[in-house]
Amino acid sequence: MRLVLIGYRGTGKTTVGRLLAESLGWPFIDTDPLIEQRAGLPIREIFARFGEDHFRDLESGVIADLDGQDPAVISAGGGAILRDENVAHLRKDSLVVWLTASAETLHQRIAGDATTAARRPNLTNLIGLDEIRPLLAVREPLYRRAADIEISAEFRTPGRIADEILCELQHRKQ
């Protein structure tokens, strides 16, 4: 069994994922650093040099390589759900958890995280809420279709979110 966390950037996938992995004694795998290792470049540079399609190809390769990696807690990039083959790989033998938050909360979190701005590019020519709102509108149905469960990360600590996921996992094992 695997736990896969999906959701827009800023929902807490990495933080919650690390807590879950520690609690379960499972490895934690974040796809973004694996993509950077494979490319030998930070994500921002991959986008700048080769474009989003190349990044998505690298992402798909990394996700495909994670098949059979279990048990594990996997944090997938926010756009991983844009390709059906990624969703199929992520769902295989997994409980897929969609972490949600409002566009306003995501904007505050992203703006408050200096590493996000340094490592990840804007995905459109827009910035802030003007970028987040339309991207969420496109992605939310895809997240919903890919997820087994949806958990709000709005106004909740990562520990509380992790506890709720652990309860759900325990419930599903019974």
Side-chain angles (χ1 to χ4, degrees), residues 54-128:
H54 181 71
F55 172 81
R56 297 292 171 207
D57 290 342
L58 290 169
E59 180 177 56
S60 292
V62 164
I63 289 170
D65 288 348
L66 294 176
D67 264 3
Q69 179 76 33
D70 62 299
V73 177
I74 299 170
S75 172
I81 45 75
L82 295 172
R83 291 189 175 178
D84 290 339
E85 66 265 25
N86 292 346
V87 173
H89 286 296
L90 292 171
R91 289 190 53 78
K92 185 177 177 185
D93 301 321
S94 301
L95 175 66
V96 180
V97 180
W98 173 27
L99 299 182
T100 67
S102 69
E104 292 74 19
T105 295
L106 295 171
H107 177 259
Q108 289 174 348
R109 290 179 182 175
I110 293 166
D113 181 2
T115 60
T116 293
R119 290 185 59 227
R120 291 182 175 80
N122 287 343
L123 299 173
T124 67
N125 292 330
L126 304 171
I127 57 171

Side-chain angles (χ1 to χ4, degrees), residues 1-173:
M1 166 121 274
R2 304 181 309 175
L3 273 175
V4 175
L5 303 178
I6 61 172
Y8 200 84
R9 89 172 77 160
T11 54
K13 297 181 305 280
T14 299
T15 303
V16 171
R18 285 188 177 125
L19 291 171
L20 288 165
E22 184 179 322
S23 293
L24 293 165
W26 293 359
F28 173 69
I29 301 167
D30 189 335
T31 60
D32 283 348
L34 292 178
I35 294 164
E36 290 176 328
Q37 287 173 1
R38 185 166 286 186
L41 296 168
I43 291 171
R44 178 179 282 287
E45 193 67 24
I46 297 167
F47 270 78
R49 286 191 193 182
F50 306 108
E52 183 174 358
D53 285 342
H54 181 71
F55 172 81
R56 297 292 171 207
D57 290 342
L58 290 169
E59 180 177 56
S60 292
V62 164
I63 289 170
D65 288 348
L66 294 176
D67 264 3
Q69 179 76 33
D70 62 299
V73 177
I74 299 170
S75 172
I81 45 75
L82 295 172
R83 291 189 175 178
D84 290 339
E85 66 265 25
N86 292 346
V87 173
H89 286 296
L90 292 171
R91 289 190 53 78
K92 185 177 177 185
D93 301 321
S94 301
L95 175 66
V96 180
V97 180
W98 173 27
L99 299 182
T100 67
S102 69
E104 292 74 19
T105 295
L106 295 171
H107 177 259
Q108 289 174 348
R109 290 179 182 175
I110 293 166
D113 181 2
T115 60
T116 293
R119 290 185 59 227
R120 291 182 175 80
N122 287 343
L123 299 173
T124 67
N125 292 330
L126 304 171
I127 57 171
L129 284 171
D130 291 334
E131 177 179 79
I132 295 169
R133 284 187 180 120
L135 285 175
L136 275 179
V138 168
R139 291 180 179 185
E140 281 181 348
L142 301 173
Y143 290 132
R144 187 169 284 109
R145 189 176 76 218
D148 294 305
I149 61 171
E150 175 183 339
I151 295 181
S152 173
E154 193 86 19
F155 310 117
R156 301 170 77 199
T157 66
R160 186 165 170 208
I161 296 165
D163 287 344
E164 185 173 336
I165 294 169
L166 289 170
C167 286
E168 182 66 30
L169 182 64
Q170 185 63 35
H171 175 74
R172 287 175 181 255
K173 283 183 176 180

